[in-house]
Amino acid sequence: MGESEMTTKTDGADDEAVSRFVERFAAEMTAAGMQRMASRVFAALLASETASMTSAELAEQLRISPAAVSGAIRYLGQVSMVSRERDPGTRRERYVLHNELWYETFTRRDQTLTRWEKVLDEGAATLGTDSSAGRRIAETAEFFAFLHGEMSGIMDRWRAHKKAQAD
């Protein structure tokens, strides 16, 4: 078995089934607005046993060029979904999913919602709530404030759920 097969294969899963999953999940992420190649690379990392792969392993598994891997990794790094680590004893880099990936992703989204809410509140005040635009912007700010509150509660419940599983 080659190095990339050892890295990407999961216990009991055949390569074809893993490949189908990767492409299906990538398609869902692309439909939700993520770049297509970044979606494929992310899904491949997610499905790998170690949550990490080299550029060569990703290119081989996904049948894409190293340049395509590089572009996807650059995007995934910018949105803090993967990081780079040096492969021990080599000059190669491994691309690694962050620990608690979804928690970190939603926490960043929560911070974004807070920033948007602040700007929208300022916009509503500037336009005045007696105008249609001001009311629309104020309602949008209120929606983001609501989401922020709900997201905090969801994340608290998630941490409690994970702690209960660990106990």
Side-chain angles (χ1 to χ4, degrees):
M1 186 179 295
E3 180 183 344
S4 64
E5 291 174 300
M6 288 188 290
T7 303
T8 60
K9 192 168 178 133
T10 56
D11 293 337
D14 69 36
D15 291 340
E16 187 177 320
V18 171
S19 184
R20 281 193 308 271
F21 162 76
V22 165
E23 294 304 328
R24 280 188 60 215
F25 189 59
E28 290 297 329
M29 293 181 72
T30 300
M34 185 182 252
Q35 296 175 354
R36 181 176 180 272
M37 201 56 64
S39 296
R40 293 182 72 212
V41 167
F42 176 80
L45 288 167
L46 188 65
S48 74
E49 191 63 24
T50 61
S52 70
M53 297 172 78
T54 65
S55 179
E57 291 167 341
L58 285 162
E60 180 183 338
Q61 179 180 340
L62 298 172
R63 296 180 186 99
I64 58 176
S65 71
V69 171
S70 179
I73 290 296
R74 187 173 30 261
Y75 171 82
L76 292 169
Q78 288 171 346
V79 295
S80 300
M81 293 177 78
V82 300
S83 59
R84 298 170 191 248
E85 294 180 0
R86 190 64 71 189
D87 214 3
T90 72
R91 295 175 55 198
R92 294 185 310 181
E93 288 186 325
R94 295 193 77 69
Y95 305 113
V96 182
L97 292 182
H98 289 288
N99 288 336
E100 299 186 0
L101 169 73
W102 299 115
Y103 176 82
E104 291 177 20
T105 299
F106 281 95
T107 298
R108 281 189 305 281
R109 293 281 187 244
D110 192 45
Q111 293 165 352
T112 300
L113 291 176
T114 301
R115 289 193 311 271
W116 289 1
E117 177 189 347
K118 181 180 179 204
V119 171
L120 288 162
D121 280 338
E122 292 168 3
T126 298
L127 293 168
T129 54
D130 56 337
S131 71
S132 294
R135 284 190 299 276
R136 185 171 47 254
I137 291 171
E139 183 178 337
T140 303
E142 184 180 347
F143 175 73
F144 287 132
F146 175 81
L147 280 181
H148 175 79
E150 291 297 306
M151 190 65 68
S152 295
I154 288 169
M155 298 317 291
D156 289 344
R157 289 190 301 278
W158 172 250
R159 282 188 295 275
H161 172 77
K162 291 300 289 178
K163 185 177 185 304
Q165 283 185 326
D167 293 342

